[in-house]
Amino acid sequence: MKTRFTPTTLSIAIVMSFNAYADYASLENYQGKPASNHTVIANTELAQQLPWEDNTAFERTKKG
């Protein structure tokens, strides 16, 4: 079975490839957006539950 690409199919593929490149190029300058109030509250509540004084994980990574 022979595959045949029509000019329309090839045109769409070329246009889509340029769009994909443009999307990835803009990632270098992406600044993000501020966290919503819900996210800030959730992160604050989680941070209060974490054992910040426990440094054993950092010590284990130094050992390899």
Side-chain angles (χ1 to χ4, degrees):
M1 183 170 129
K2 184 177 180 182
T3 303
R4 182 170 177 249
F5 294 106
T6 64
T8 303
T9 305
L10 292 175
S11 298
I12 291 171
I14 291 170
V15 168
M16 293 303 289
S17 67
F18 285 126
N19 285 340
Y21 176 75
D23 288 342
Y24 288 117
S26 66
L27 289 177
E28 293 177 10
N29 300 325
Y30 181 70
Q31 297 295 315
K33 60 181 183 177
S36 68
N37 287 337
H38 175 77
T39 302
V40 171
I41 292 169
N43 287 345
T44 302
E45 289 175 0
L46 177 64
Q48 292 172 353
Q49 297 175 8
L50 294 174
W52 294 105
E53 64 281 349
D54 183 11
N55 294 327
T56 56
F58 297 109
E59 294 168 5
R60 285 194 306 266
T61 59
K62 291 178 183 177
K63 293 180 182 178

